[in-house]
Amino acid sequence: MDKEIVFTLSQITQHKSKQDCWIIIHGRVLDVTKFLEEHPGGEEVLIDSAGKDVTKEFEDIGHSKAAKNLLLKYQVGYIQGYKIPDESELDLNLVTDSFKEPKAKEMKAFVIKEDPQPKYMIFVEYFVPFLVAAFFLYYRYLTGNLQL
Ligand code: HEM
């Protein structure tokens, strides 16, 4: 059905049954008949919402972005007097075609390179203990405690 069709409120109130269930959310007229059984929140809430503008109820639940995207799938038109918002005005983050996969998140990776060990550290680590040991042995030798 053409999604640009404009309906009056009295037209929508004629679709208030389980077999023919229309609701209004954000000025969009939605035929949710086929969605009743799929609705994770149950079909009862939707049947109770039939023929009404339930924008507030829909928002109060805190529906996810996926749920908001689904609105477009069931849209059959607009309610009379509704100003179609600019893409920029739309705070719903609705996508324009039926359903867009969320953009793959770019992974950014970086390697933390440790500073290379300064050269003199090699000297300190190996040569200094060697010198200390050498001096110790020399001292023992001089004091006569060590016989080579
Ligand atoms: C075409 C319109 C609607 C669609 C596409 C829709 C979609 C969904 C989806 C996908 C969920 C699962 C949770 C999430 O992803 O947010 C959900 C949960 C729910 N929805 Fe809807 N919904 C619609 C209308 C409504 C309306 C009008 C009401 C109330 C008047 C309602 C009440 C609920 C409740 C109570 C839950 C369960 C929340 C929970 O368990 O935490 N929904 N709906």
Side-chain angles (χ1 to χ4, degrees):
M1 196 184 282
D2 184 359
K3 291 186 178 186
E4 298 297 309
I5 295 178
V6 176
F7 296 96
T8 62
L9 190 59
S10 66
Q11 278 177 304
I12 293 152
T13 52
Q14 288 160 23
H15 304 267
K16 288 175 71 168
S17 66
K18 194 178 170 180
Q19 291 73 34
D20 184 18
C21 180
W22 287 18
I23 61 174
I24 307 162
I25 295 175
H26 285 293
R28 296 163 194 272
V29 179
L30 313 166
D31 179 353
V32 290
T33 316
K34 289 188 181 135
F35 181 62
L36 293 178
E37 285 179 13
E38 287 170 39
H39 184 219
E43 61 178 12
E44 279 310 311
V45 279
L46 292 182
I47 296 168
D48 289 347
S49 308
K52 297 182 207 155
D53 184 336
V54 283
T55 306
K56 190 174 180 304
E57 289 83 346
F58 181 82
E59 290 300 333
D60 286 350
I61 302 295
H63 279 90
S64 64
K65 197 173 170 186
K68 289 173 182 177
N69 282 327
L70 268 177
L71 295 183
L72 297 176
K73 183 174 172 190
Y74 297 103
Q75 183 176 351
V76 290
Y78 286 98
I79 183 77
Q80 195 178 43
Y82 180 71
K83 181 180 162 281
I84 300 172
D86 272 3
E87 283 293 303
S88 54
E89 286 176 39
L90 215 63
D91 65 342
L92 262 176
N93 283 334
L94 289 172
V95 288
T96 42
D97 47 26
S98 58
F99 190 88
K100 270 187 191 163
E101 286 298 323
K103 276 186 191 164
K105 280 189 182 161
E106 275 180 37
M107 294 287 288
K108 283 186 182 159
F110 55 90
V111 178
I112 300 170
K113 256 187 145 181
E114 282 184 16
D115 282 347
Q117 214 178 28
K119 288 234 166 64
Y120 70 85
M121 282 305 290
I122 296 165
F123 173 82
V124 172
E125 267 180 41
Y126 297 102
F127 197 64
V128 170
F130 174 78
L131 266 183
V132 171
F135 273 117
F136 177 72
L137 291 172
Y138 184 60
Y139 171 77
R140 295 278 298 246
Y141 173 71
L142 287 182
T143 55
N145 290 331
L146 182 75
Q147 290 183 358
L148 292 177

